[in-house]
Amino acid sequence: MGKVTGFPEFDRVEEGYKPVPERLKHYKEFVVGLSDAEAKVRGARCMDCGIPFCNSGCPVNNIIPDFNDLVYRQDWKNAFTVLDSTNNFPEFTGRICPAPCEAACTLNFNDVAVGIKSIEHAIIDRAWQNGWVEPRVPRIKTGKKVAVVGSGPAGMAAAQQLARAGHDVTLFEKNDRVGGLLRYGIPDFKMEKHHIDRRVEQMKAEGVTVRTGVMIGELPKGSKITNWAKETISPKQLQEDFDAVLLTGGAEQSRDLPVPGRELDGVHFAMEFLPQQNKVNAGDKLKGQIRAEGKHVIVIGGGDTGSDCVGTSNRHGAASVVQFELMPQPPEEENKPLTWPYWPYKLRTSSSHEEGCEREFAIATKEFIGDGKKVTGLKTVRVEFKDGKMQEVPGTEQTLKADLVLLAMGFVSPVNTILEGFGVEKDARGNAKATTEFHDGYVTNVPKVFAAGDMRRGQSLVVWAIREGRQAARSVDEFLMGFSDLPR
């Protein structure tokens, strides 16, 4: 695959970024994609390694060496055909997936991995530009009706696959637009939302009925989960109206930080902050938007959601941004002989960090302090892992100024009232309990009710959501028809 001498002959070519001062002025994507010549070099480095660990490192099992070779040969249309055979939405993964395939690349064992993610990005962008992405309308309709609840990447993938199998699919979304966290969790500067919109149009052409602003069941009282629903349908009604129901609603319950002062104004979940900016970018009018301009912002949580808060705060014009991480700072380079081909533990610096952010590791928040009802700072302490648990380091307490605190510590479970409304059993973490066995996969304890995506596996990656949506679609199709020709 690629060029026989490509991997020792060529260095890795990176996608470019527009300058920081320029991109901080807007919420548009700022990645500069590969030219044809650069993509050819990327594909040339694929080393025909015999056992392509990248295929298994990729949750949707993209056939990576094949499309690398086709890009090297500049056969873009066939490269798209290969990519499209395993991944419903490469424009999503090519932008926001952390690329576990690259961690598993054989070349990554003692060199720098092939730039698989940017090749995928280049393929799908050219496919859209050239009109190769077309609806795949089923030739035969089965007459079976399927409800898919939740329109994130798992729900979108499942709905598309089931519609292509000939079923009448209705995709339900409680918010006003399709996309789930892709729409209201991922900032536009990482992925503009027209990528979702054109996939929705493709799905509608394939027969998917999309119903937004519809809540299935009810949210818990006092919930701060984003919800712009205008209509409510009971789980019982859904079970009566459809031959199968697939729950793909995500794990939306944010992890809280119950320390003194949590009730102060100015302390918010990340998922209160991020969706508002995305709605404003879409042209919506909001009253009381949470804004960071002129404020000293502290983001608690060192993952991708925290990084998104950093980038958004900088675009608001924050006076300063500090990001906390409870764990100690990882090494800058992973121990490849120990971790390869698995996802390595190492320091990761995002484009948002590069735009301006102070990062603090091994630090915990003990208290939010305020002037009246408004947060003005927080008390912290350094921590270390000792005797099998995280412990405070004596004498390291300090007080930091903060006008806005954003909690980005991950998500713990689905909205439990939805699962309870259907009577679905939960696992020890509060997720929907359903296996991934080849036969009867994604089946819950409730007849004809299935579950997939973050609602089943917990907080995870966009590529895992697509995989689960595709696999669950096959299980639903097999349940309805007794067999399935859908790829697993």
Side-chain angles (χ1 to χ4, degrees), residues 16-290:
Y17 291 158
K18 293 181 180 178
V20 170
E22 176 184 337
R23 70 195 198 220
L24 284 179
K25 295 177 181 178
H26 59 76
Y27 293 89
K28 301 292 186 182
E29 294 177 13
F30 52 81
V31 174
V32 180
L34 301 177
S35 67
D36 284 7
E38 289 170 336
K40 181 180 175 71
V41 170
R42 280 268 176 128
R45 296 187 72 240
C46 190
M47 57 190 295
D48 192 15
C49 56
I51 301 177
F53 289 91
C54 56
N55 285 15
S56 56
C58 171
V60 294
N61 303 122
N62 280 335
I63 310 170
I64 294 166
D66 292 45
F67 68 63
N68 283 345
D69 180 60
L70 289 164
V71 168
Y72 167 64
R73 300 177 189 281
Q74 299 290 278
D75 187 351
W76 290 97
K77 190 167 187 179
N78 277 322
F80 165 67
T81 299
V82 171
L83 178 58
D84 185 59
S85 69
T86 56
N87 188 349
N88 293 68
F89 313 118
E91 63 270 38
F92 302 167
T93 53
R95 284 169 168 81
I96 62 173
C97 179
C101 55
E102 293 189 17
C105 173
T106 302
L107 189 56
N108 191 50
F109 181 76
N110 61 355
D111 201 331
V112 183
V114 174
I116 300 165
K117 178 180 174 179
S118 61
I119 292 175
E120 180 178 352
H121 185 180
I123 293 169
I124 189 59
D125 281 5
R126 282 160 179 76
W128 279 107
Q129 291 165 10
N130 289 294
W132 300 333
V133 185
E134 297 179 330
R136 286 157 53 182
V137 182
R139 292 176 295 176
I140 300 174
K141 300 290 286 186
T142 66
K144 301 292 185 179
K145 297 170 63 179
V146 183
V148 179
V149 181
S151 70
M156 290 179 68
Q160 184 168 64
Q161 293 294 97
L162 287 165
R164 289 173 175 178
H167 305 304
D168 293 320
V169 181
T170 302
L171 182 62
F172 292 94
E173 170 56 53
K174 71 178 184 300
N175 293 323
D176 53 352
R177 296 180 178 91
V178 168
L181 281 180
L182 290 174
R183 174 76 66 175
Y184 287 127
I186 303 297
D188 287 13
F189 57 80
K190 288 177 69 175
M191 193 188 83
E192 294 177 33
K193 303 310 177 250
H194 68 85
H195 301 296
I196 303 173
D197 295 336
R198 63 188 180 186
R199 282 296 184 179
V200 171
E201 292 307 308
Q202 180 194 29
M203 291 165 63
K204 288 179 178 178
E206 293 171 338
V208 177
T209 299
V210 176
R211 295 187 60 183
T212 56
V214 180
M215 182 72 198
I216 308 301
E218 297 180 356
L219 287 173
K221 291 183 178 180
S223 172
K224 293 185 178 181
I225 292 172
T226 303
N227 177 21
W228 290 289
K230 296 180 180 179
E231 179 185 354
T232 300
I233 298 177
S234 71
K236 181 180 178 181
Q237 187 66 52
L238 213 64
Q239 290 171 276
E240 291 176 355
D241 292 345
F242 290 87
D243 298 300
V245 177
L246 174 57
L247 305 179
T248 58
E252 296 182 276
Q253 195 66 54
S254 298
R255 181 174 284 106
D256 207 345
L257 185 58
V259 298
R262 171 64 180 88
E263 73 285 352
L264 290 168
D265 291 341
V267 182
H268 301 278
F269 288 121
M271 290 308 296
E272 296 176 77
F273 176 67
L274 295 173
Q276 291 186 353
Q277 186 56 56
N278 285 5
K279 284 186 70 68
V280 170
N281 293 346
D284 295 354
K285 303 295 183 182
L286 290 185
K287 292 182 179 180
Q289 182 190 0
I290 302 168

Side-chain angles (χ1 to χ4, degrees), residues 428-480:
R429 297 185 298 162
N431 301 318
K433 188 175 182 181
T435 69
T436 57
E437 297 297 326
F438 186 76
H439 294 290
D440 299 325
Y442 301 92
V443 176
T444 70
N445 62 297
V446 181
K448 74 179 185 181
V449 176
F450 299 72
D454 288 5
M455 178 167 275
R456 189 203 69 81
R457 67 178 287 116
Q459 178 191 8
S460 192
L461 307 177
V462 61
V463 68
W464 272 107
I466 294 171
R467 171 195 172 107
E468 294 230 339
R470 288 172 62 90
Q471 291 188 336
R474 179 185 171 92
S475 289
V476 172
D477 185 37
E478 191 170 21
F479 164 75
L480 294 173

Side-chain angles (χ1 to χ4, degrees), residues 294-329:
K295 296 179 180 179
H296 297 281
V297 180
I298 292 182
V299 179
I300 301 179
D304 289 339
T305 304
S307 174
D308 294 342
C309 290
V310 170
T312 303
S313 296
N314 280 325
R315 281 162 178 75
H316 282 185
S320 66
V321 183
V322 181
Q323 186 178 22
F324 284 4
E325 169 56 58
L326 183 67
M327 301 302 291
Q329 181 172 330

Side-chain angles (χ1 to χ4, degrees), residues 323-330 359-365 380-385 390-393 396 398:
Q323 186 178 22
F324 284 4
E325 169 56 58
L326 183 67
M327 301 302 291
Q329 181 172 330
R359 303 170 75 181
E360 295 284 351
F361 294 88
I363 189 170
T365 302
T380 68
V381 64
R382 297 291 171 175
V383 292
E384 63 180 354
F385 198 75
M390 197 66 76
Q391 299 185 22
E392 296 182 3
V393 178
T396 61
Q398 61 181 137

Side-chain angles (χ1 to χ4, degrees), residues 358-404:
E358 181 181 347
R359 303 170 75 181
E360 295 284 351
F361 294 88
I363 189 170
T365 302
K366 297 192 70 175
E367 180 183 355
F368 299 111
I369 54 179
D371 181 7
K373 295 183 178 180
K374 178 70 176 174
V375 69
T376 59
L378 41 76
K379 294 181 180 179
T380 68
V381 64
R382 297 291 171 175
V383 292
E384 63 180 354
F385 198 75
K386 187 176 180 181
D387 297 330
K389 60 182 179 179
M390 197 66 76
Q391 299 185 22
E392 296 182 3
V393 178
T396 61
E397 295 82 359
Q398 61 181 137
T399 300
L400 298 179
K401 182 176 177 61
D403 306 305
L404 176 62

